[in-house]
Structures are given as C-alpha cells and as structure tokens.
Amino acid sequence: MYENINGAFCFKRLNATHEFGCTSSRSGNTGVLHILKEKNDFTWLIQDAKAVPYVVMLPFDFPDFTDTLLKLKDSGKVSGVILMSNRTSYSPDDVCPNRYSGLQESNCNDNGNKPWNSIGSSLLFIDFGFPILYLDSNEYPKDVEFLEQCFQKHNAHDLEFQTSRSLCAVELTSHMLAAVDSRTCIRRSSMINNLTPMRYCDPLLGLNIHLPLYPRIAGAVPPPKSKSVILVVTRLDGTSMFDGVVPGAGSPILGIVSLLTVAHILSTLVKDKPPKALERNVALTNLEHSQRNNTYFYVNYAFIWVLCWPFLLKSV
C-alpha cells in the first residue's frame, strides 16, 4: 500500500566552483522509516541498525540537530531525511553570511560573541547526496501522524530482527539535473540538441525596483553635486534550503514595509515643492537576490548602471 505525503524538497544549488544541496537518484531513494526522538535512537541507528538504507524522520528540536544531520550524511546508512518543523529559531545560512564572496574581508566575528547570524548552521552549503523533505507538522498533521503510526506498527519493536520481517518504508523522489558547477551546467543547458532539448539548471534571477524622489534629468543645469543622492535600500528575498518555503520572510517584509512608510512620508513632505527646493535626491531601492554572494554583486552592478544611465549617456 502506498500513501502520498506532502512537503517541500531541498534542491540542488551551484556556484562558480561547487555544487551543494540535495538530490535523489533518478528513480527516487527508498529506505526503511526510522524516527529519531532521543539520543538513544540515533546511537542505535549508527551502531546497530542492519536493515539499511534508512529514511530518517528528524525533528528540528533534536539535540545537536546540525551535528546529527551531518553524522547521518556520513554514516552511509541513510538514503533520505524527513525534517519535521517544530522549531522557531533556525537558519541554514552561515554565521557570517557571504564571508567568502565580499570585496573586503569579512569582519564578522564567528568565534567571538557577535556573529551576524548567531543561529546559522551552514547546512545550505553542504552537498548531502540524498533527498531531504521538509514536512510542516502544523500544515500537514495527518502526514506526520500517518508516518508515526506506520513506524510504531511495523518498525519500532524488535529492532534487532528488522531484517526478518516486512517494514514500513518511504520513497523520496526529487532528482536534480544540475551538477558540477554553474559554468558547466549552463554550458550543458546551452548545447544544441534538437532530439532531446533539456535544461539542467536555471539562474537565480530577480528584479530590482528603484524609484527616485525627484526625476533624474540628463544634462541638468547645474549638474547634480557629488554625494547628492541618498540611497534607502532594502531587500526583497530571503534564504531557504527548501523549494517554496521561506521561514525567514519576516526580515525582508519588515524592510519593505519600512521603505514604503519612508516613501509615503517623503512624498507628503515634498508634494508641493519643486526639485530645486532640495539639495539632495533620494533613491528608494529594493534589491532582489542580495542574499546570494556573487549574484549580489551582479544585481548591484545592474542597479548602478540603470540608476546612472542618463548621466553616463550624457558623458558619452
């Protein structure tokens, strides 16, 4: 008997040199269901479990969660993981986000008392090699209940004799075609093949939104003074390991609401004033994909070009 379960899969990511994230085999990964509720369950799985491979159901509040997940990855006994969401403070990003891709050396003190992202785990940059499913226990309580009942009925008893009876198993299918690194994957996707056209990966693209308080006028007399534009910047995106799930959305939403409030107040203050009444202009800006290292620089360069093009065109 088969029963579908809901959830969001971790997906494969690429950068200029590496691949990281999660993927299943083309036909999916199958394993015996095992639920970790306490340290003893984990110890038994690593040391004594015989009915390999296993699909492990792991709650976010499990002791030493990050270390446990990495040990499951290295154990060779796990073909997939189901993460149950019962944790409110967790980040898959680094404690010092973008520390390796900035133009200047990061001054984030990850060994001290003031890291930028104190709850960061860096799991976003691990190449797991098996699928990970995020199962929201509040959104899909029946799926969680079904898995727990299946485990208790078929797998939880007589653990030493698991290989001699039928067991409850799970199949996770989330095969990702992307591989190696960004350059390789884009090259493969660009190959001309009329018989089997295939896209192996898609770029992380976004749309920057910017609006000056006063219009930018090419050839204005007198020309704008140096440092006469104030940038008010916020971001539009967040970071997540899982497709369609952004638990950190509250952070960009706060910035967006604040930016809209500033825009409303400024528009009220300058409503009846001509542009010459103020010595400074204000550019209200939303940047997308500012979370992702090298993409961050791309969107910023594009934004600077669009912001300055009337004056650049005039100088040419």
Side-chain angles (χ1 to χ4, degrees):
M1 181 184 72
Y2 290 89
E3 184 77 20
N4 291 327
I5 57 175
N6 298 285
F9 276 103
C10 164
F11 50 90
K12 180 77 74 175
R13 294 174 182 263
L14 306 172
N15 63 11
T17 57
H18 292 80
E19 61 176 290
F20 38 91
C22 316
T23 184
S24 71
S25 65
R26 187 175 294 273
S27 58
N29 286 25
T30 303
V32 175
L33 178 63
H34 188 70
I35 299 179
L36 300 186
K37 294 184 177 180
E38 55 186 26
K39 278 288 188 179
N40 290 337
D41 299 328
F42 172 74
T43 302
W44 176 86
L45 177 66
I46 298 299
Q47 297 180 358
D48 302 321
K50 298 295 191 297
V52 294
Y54 288 85
V55 170
V56 177
M57 199 165 174
L58 178 67
F60 267 109
D61 62 353
F62 193 83
D64 300 323
F65 170 81
T66 300
D67 186 56
T68 298
L69 189 56
L70 294 177
K71 287 181 178 179
L72 291 175
K73 167 185 173 294
D74 297 332
S75 68
K77 293 185 174 183
V78 176
S79 60
V81 172
I82 300 175
L83 297 181
M84 290 187 296
S85 61
N86 51 2
R87 181 170 178 168
T88 56
S89 59
Y90 180 74
S91 171
D93 209 339
D94 191 6
V95 291
C96 296
N98 294 340
R99 75 163 88 192
Y100 304 113
S101 56
L103 294 178
Q104 297 180 352
E105 184 178 354
S106 171
N107 59 359
C108 173
N109 186 7
D110 57 331
N111 295 319
N113 298 322
K114 295 182 179 180
W116 294 345
N117 183 25
S118 60
I119 59 175
S121 64
S122 297
L123 290 178
L124 191 67
F125 308 102
I126 301 297
D127 187 18
F128 285 97
F130 54 68
I132 298 179
L133 178 72
Y134 173 81
L135 181 58
D136 192 325
S137 54
N138 294 321
E139 187 173 358
Y140 303 111
K142 292 184 178 180
D143 290 338
V144 174
E145 182 181 1
F146 172 79
L147 291 171
E148 290 179 343
Q149 289 178 352
C150 189
F151 172 74
Q152 292 296 332
K153 182 178 180 180
H154 300 283
N155 300 3
H157 61 280
D158 298 329
L159 295 177
E160 63 273 18
F161 300 111
Q162 279 191 340
T163 56
S164 62
R165 68 176 191 272
S166 298
L167 300 171
C168 177
V170 176
E171 179 180 315
L172 300 177
T173 304
S174 63
H175 181 61
M176 303 289 167
L177 296 175
V180 185
D181 55 46
S182 297
R183 177 179 295 180
T184 303
C185 196
I186 292 173
R187 175 176 56 80
R188 289 174 176 174
S189 299
S190 302
M191 294 177 65
I192 300 176
N193 188 337
N194 294 328
L195 297 178
T196 56
M198 179 71 72
R199 290 187 62 85
Y200 295 97
C201 54
D202 293 301
L204 287 173
L205 297 177
L207 180 65
N208 299 320
I209 302 173
H210 62 91
L211 180 67
L213 186 62
Y214 288 117
R216 298 164 297 147
I217 303 175
V221 180
K225 297 180 180 179
S226 177
K227 299 181 180 180
S228 62
V229 178
I230 300 174
L231 290 179
V232 182
V233 183
T234 188
R235 58 188 176 93
L236 288 173
D237 61 342
T239 296
S240 176
M241 285 180 60
F242 303 97
D243 185 29
V245 178
V246 188
S251 178
I253 288 175
L254 178 62
I256 293 170
V257 172
S258 300
L259 187 70
L260 292 175
T261 303
V262 171
H264 174 71
I265 294 174
L266 289 177
S267 64
T268 302
L269 293 175
V270 303
K271 183 176 181 180
D272 299 322
K273 295 182 180 180
K276 293 184 179 180
L278 295 178
E279 295 183 356
R280 294 182 181 271
N281 201 350
V282 179
L284 305 169
T285 307
N286 284 312
L287 294 180
E288 190 164 3
H289 287 307
S290 60
Q291 290 292 97
R292 292 273 60 85
N293 45 60
N294 56 341
T295 311
Y296 173 82
F297 299 111
Y298 167 76
V299 298
N300 278 278
Y301 289 146
F303 161 71
I304 292 172
W305 170 260
V306 173
L307 183 67
C308 301
W309 76 265
F311 309 108
L312 296 173
L313 184 64
K314 179 65 177 179
S315 63
V316 173

